[in-house]
Amino acid sequence: MDFAVSAKAEDVCARAWDFMREHVFPAEPVYDAWRAERGHDNHEHPPVLEELKAEARKRGLWNLFHHEVGGLTNLEYASVAEITGWSPTIAPEAMNVGAPDTGNMETLMLFGTEEHKQRWLAPLLEGEIRSGFAMTEPDVASSDARNIQTSMVRDGDEYVINGRKWWTSGAADERCQIFIVMGKTDPDGPPHRQQSMILVPRDTPGLEIVRHLPVFGYQDQHGHSELRFTDVRVPVSNILSGEGDGFMIAQARLGPGRIHHCMRAIGMAERALALMVERTKSRVAFGRPLADQGTVREAIALSRIEIDQARLYVLKTADLIDKYGAKGARTEISAIKVAAPKVALDVIDRAIQVHGGAGVSNDTVLARFYASARTLRIVDGPDAVHIRGVAKEELARERPYSG
């Protein structure tokens, strides 16, 4: 395993850092002020993001998430994803590498028809529209995809969709024009062949956006929404891959996406650690700088150790995906999805503690980072599901010696 950054990735990372320092970090207060002026529940698109998107394209920092369009391997892109994690609200969208669009674009690349790609993938790649992924449901434990209740009944040349979804990220933004919806086309079939995924345009009659859900009191600009489907009709041609392929598609789209989430979490942890170190050097308590206090030094040291451990684990996983595909890295993908958010949470929590009251206010990014990192322990599969999978593999592992 060689985790040395390639010359290509090193160049991209250098340009990404220049972009972050010169444009993204200065745009953060502009973005926040624009949203604050319009109220907590406003989901309009801040104009500064369009300026950032234009600048990112000019610098060749666009659509880097996929090797076919960005030219980077998963291992190479992982370092870029970490950089975007330093400003997770702005940087991913500015570079067109934000969730859920990246996962949806990869899904369309893998399983969409030419018509799907022309109508939806092309404008997504251009950053002209956004998309949503509607899987989680309020009435069942959606971490087990077999529980999904949304019905998709074929009626001639159409599917009729009925059901409720929530935590569909992106739906509050009017630019979100297409949803990938998971439901059951064959409720009596084999457990992993009951589900299908179908494309549902935002303006389809019967699709209602019920409400936008806050995360620890925060309303993200793009929103996380509850949707209701009432006799929603779409053409049969809107199905992805084929009937019964929903579970397979879900697994295929989540491997690289989890790398992205985990590396962004590490980026958040790095920024939190940087803020922690800066704070300890500038504050004095009990007659000496915080940086000279033993417990504070322990917090700093543990944070560095844990961040580097998590990063190496994620890079190893990205390397395995490049070599063997998501199936070949199944256990590692689950493991990093547990490890990286936990490390981010622990580091951010220490940084909050060092900042005192400022840490839980909006005067720094730390409170928002904490809400985001805590949510990561649920999205794309909760910790318990991933731990269950890792334990299953470990129990079946053959060992060179026992005794």
Side-chain angles (χ1 to χ4, degrees):
M1 294 175 289
D2 182 7
F3 296 146
V5 179
S6 69
K8 180 192 297 184
E10 190 172 0
D11 171 65
V12 173
C13 287
R15 286 187 281 119
W17 270 122
D18 287 342
F19 177 57
M20 297 288 287
R21 285 187 289 259
E22 295 169 15
H23 294 276
V24 174
F25 294 134
E28 288 179 341
V30 177
Y31 178 97
D32 291 339
W34 193 92
R35 290 206 66 211
E37 288 173 5
R38 283 151 183 80
H40 179 70
D41 294 325
N42 184 279
H43 296 279
E44 294 178 50
H45 182 53
V48 70
L49 268 171
E50 290 304 313
E51 298 171 13
L52 291 171
K53 287 162 69 174
E55 183 64 30
R57 295 189 75 148
K58 187 169 69 175
R59 292 171 178 248
L61 299 170
W62 190 256
N63 287 336
L64 297 172
F65 70 95
H66 195 278
H67 65 92
E68 290 183 11
V69 289
L72 299 177
T73 65
N74 284 293
L75 180 58
E76 290 172 327
Y77 175 66
S79 297
V80 182
E82 178 181 338
I83 294 169
T84 67
W86 281 66
S87 185
T89 300
I90 296 179
E93 182 175 353
M95 296 165 65
N96 211 37
V97 294
D101 291 334
T102 51
N104 291 340
M105 286 189 276
E106 288 191 56
T107 298
L108 288 168
M109 289 177 192
L110 289 170
F111 305 107
T113 65
E114 286 306 311
E115 180 184 354
H116 298 157
K117 293 175 183 178
Q118 290 177 14
R119 185 175 180 188
W120 303 116
L121 177 59
L124 279 168
L125 288 169
E126 290 298 313
E128 296 170 354
I129 65 171
R130 299 205 66 182
S131 60
F133 185 71
M135 176 178 171
T136 304
E137 297 182 358
D139 297 325
V140 297
S142 304
S143 56
D144 182 350
R146 296 171 298 179
N147 290 336
I148 296 300
Q149 296 298 304
T150 296
S151 66
M152 298 172 163
V153 179
R154 183 160 180 169
D155 182 20
D157 293 333
E158 296 179 317
Y159 283 105
V160 183
I161 304 173
N162 284 280
R164 292 172 64 204
K165 300 288 186 182
W166 71 343
W167 295 107
T168 301
S169 297
D173 192 326
E174 290 292 334
R175 296 171 302 149
C176 180
Q177 292 297 303
I178 187 66
F179 297 98
I180 296 178
V181 183
M182 186 165 179
K184 285 188 175 178
T185 47
D186 184 9
D188 298 319
H192 293 94
R193 293 291 300 168
Q194 297 177 3
Q195 309 86 0
S196 300
M197 289 195 188
I198 292 177
L199 294 168
V200 179
R202 184 188 188 94
D203 60 1
T204 306
L207 168 55
E208 177 189 0
I209 299 177
V210 179
R211 58 176 175 147
H212 308 308
L213 300 155
V215 179
F216 285 99
Y218 292 105
Q219 277 283 359
D220 290 339
Q221 180 272 320
H222 53 76
H224 309 279
S225 306
E226 179 181 344
L227 312 180
R228 182 181 293 121
F229 298 82
T230 306
D231 294 330
V232 171
R233 289 181 172 268
V234 296
V236 168
S237 59
N238 279 24
I239 197 165
L240 290 170
S241 188
E243 283 197 9
D245 289 337
F247 195 88
M248 176 272 292
I249 295 171
Q251 294 304 305
R253 80 186 293 277
L254 287 175
R258 285 170 180 155
I259 296 287
H260 307 167
H261 275 313
C262 289
M263 290 306 286
R264 283 193 292 265
I266 290 168
M268 287 193 290
E270 284 284 10
R271 188 171 180 185
L273 178 54
L275 288 169
M276 190 194 320
V277 168
E278 182 180 352
R279 182 79 168 189
T280 64
K281 290 179 178 179
S282 64
R283 291 291 172 122
V284 174
F286 305 105
R288 53 181 175 163
L290 291 180
D292 291 343
Q293 309 282 353
T295 54
V296 173
R297 289 195 167 200
E298 180 183 21
I300 292 170
L302 288 175
S303 297
R304 168 50 58 212
I305 292 166
E306 292 164 10
I307 289 172
D308 287 353
Q309 287 174 330
R311 179 187 292 110
L312 285 170
Y313 205 172
V314 180
L315 292 177
K316 173 193 174 183
T317 306
D319 186 54
L320 286 173
I321 293 177
D322 286 333
K323 291 175 178 175
Y324 307 110
K327 284 187 177 181
R330 180 177 63 246
T331 302
E332 289 78 9
I333 290 169
S334 289
I336 63 168
K337 183 55 177 57
V338 175
K342 183 181 184 303
V343 166
L345 273 172
D346 288 345
V347 174
I348 295 164
D349 185 68
R350 293 178 192 126
I352 288 172
Q353 196 69 17
V354 166
H355 279 75
V360 294
S361 75
N362 285 334
D363 286 2
T364 76
V365 296
L366 294 171
R368 189 63 181 258
F369 275 18
Y370 191 90
S372 178
R374 182 60 186 85
T375 306
L376 274 179
R377 293 187 57 201
I378 300 172
V379 301
D380 281 0
D383 283 4
V385 171
H386 293 298
I387 289 170
R388 178 175 179 266
V390 173
K392 181 180 178 181
E393 291 292 325
E394 194 62 29
L395 288 166
R397 187 188 302 274
E398 292 187 12
R399 305 179 188 282
Y401 177 75
S402 178

